[in-house]
Amino acid sequence: MELEESTAACRGRLDAFLRSVERRALRMAQLATGNLDDALELVQDGMLVFVRSYRDKPESDWPPLFWRVLDSRVNDHHRRQTVRRRWRVFFGLGAGADESEDADPLAAVADANAIGPLEQALGGESRIAIERALRALPDRQRQAFLLRVWEGLDGAQTAKAMGCSEGSVKTHLFRAMEALRKHLEEHR
């Protein structure tokens, strides 16, 4: 009986942790991939891998471990995309090779001038500028910035999540901050 209660309590804490990071994880994955559907898949896969592999670890270790798992999923996604692009070029296929001939090519084109409700609510131009600046960063710099500044992980936790030294985290973060300042100078 007592084991069941402790298992249920652990499951509850794990669920609460995953709920607390899911939105930020989705946003980070979307910034890394540029695609909401891919980001949703990566976050879901990352959460499943995290639960299978690390649910028995101490709760204090969960944040860096989760971000490490998500980072691995994002890196795997980038590798797969690179391989797919190479094969498409090799076989002379265009980006739309997966589409059927009956599909309307204009139906998939988003209106670049349309401002969505999120952009309107968050200040449109500034939000778009920040997102562009973050996407322009190299992956490791963006990751260091988001984990340290957005997630609030300390240097050691960030290093553990990124699989590098604390010195590397500091270097990536410094370079990210410099690049962001440069990109966002006109929006001050």
Side-chain angles (χ1 to χ4, degrees):
M1 182 73 169
E2 189 175 307
L3 180 62
E4 289 176 21
E5 289 176 12
S6 67
T7 302
C10 181
R11 187 176 300 135
R13 288 191 308 276
L14 188 58
D15 287 342
F17 168 73
L18 292 174
R19 274 193 303 275
S20 75
V21 297
E22 71 182 336
R23 287 180 189 254
R24 295 185 314 272
L26 179 61
R27 191 70 184 125
M28 290 174 84
Q30 188 177 9
L31 284 168
T33 63
N35 182 299
L36 180 60
D37 292 332
D38 289 342
L40 283 166
E41 186 176 326
L42 291 173
V43 170
Q44 182 180 19
D45 185 45
M47 286 183 170
L48 288 171
V49 169
F50 173 77
V51 170
R52 281 187 206 127
S53 302
Y54 300 114
R55 68 177 172 253
D56 296 329
K57 295 287 185 183
E59 200 170 333
S60 60
D61 290 346
W62 287 352
L65 290 171
F66 172 75
W67 295 114
R68 180 70 181 153
V69 168
L70 183 61
D71 179 54
S72 293
R73 302 292 115 203
V74 169
N75 287 335
D76 291 346
H77 171 79
H78 287 305
R79 285 186 204 107
R80 281 191 306 273
Q81 293 301 327
T82 300
V83 170
R84 286 180 184 142
R85 279 192 297 274
R86 287 180 185 155
W87 280 107
R88 284 184 177 144
V89 169
F90 180 75
F91 287 112
L93 302 174
D98 296 334
E99 299 174 7
S100 69
E101 292 180 18
D102 298 339
D104 179 11
L106 294 179
V109 177
D111 182 2
N113 297 322
I115 296 176
L118 183 61
E119 285 86 2
Q120 290 172 350
L122 297 176
E125 289 182 24
S126 296
R127 187 193 155 281
I128 290 169
I130 291 169
E131 187 171 312
R132 282 185 185 145
L134 283 170
R135 281 192 182 156
L137 291 175
D139 291 336
R140 299 294 278 175
Q141 289 178 20
R142 181 178 47 249
Q143 182 185 25
F145 176 81
L146 292 174
L147 291 175
R148 287 283 286 135
V149 176
W150 193 5
E151 280 302 309
L153 298 181
D154 64 26
Q157 290 174 320
T158 303
K160 186 174 182 179
M162 292 178 64
C164 63
S165 69
E166 285 187 59
S168 292
V169 169
K170 290 177 185 179
T171 300
H172 290 306
L173 181 60
F174 175 79
R175 291 177 179 164
M177 297 293 283
E178 289 297 309
L180 289 172
R181 278 190 199 102
K182 185 177 177 182
H183 279 99
L184 299 172
E185 188 66 35
E186 65 188 49
H187 291 281
R188 282 188 176 194

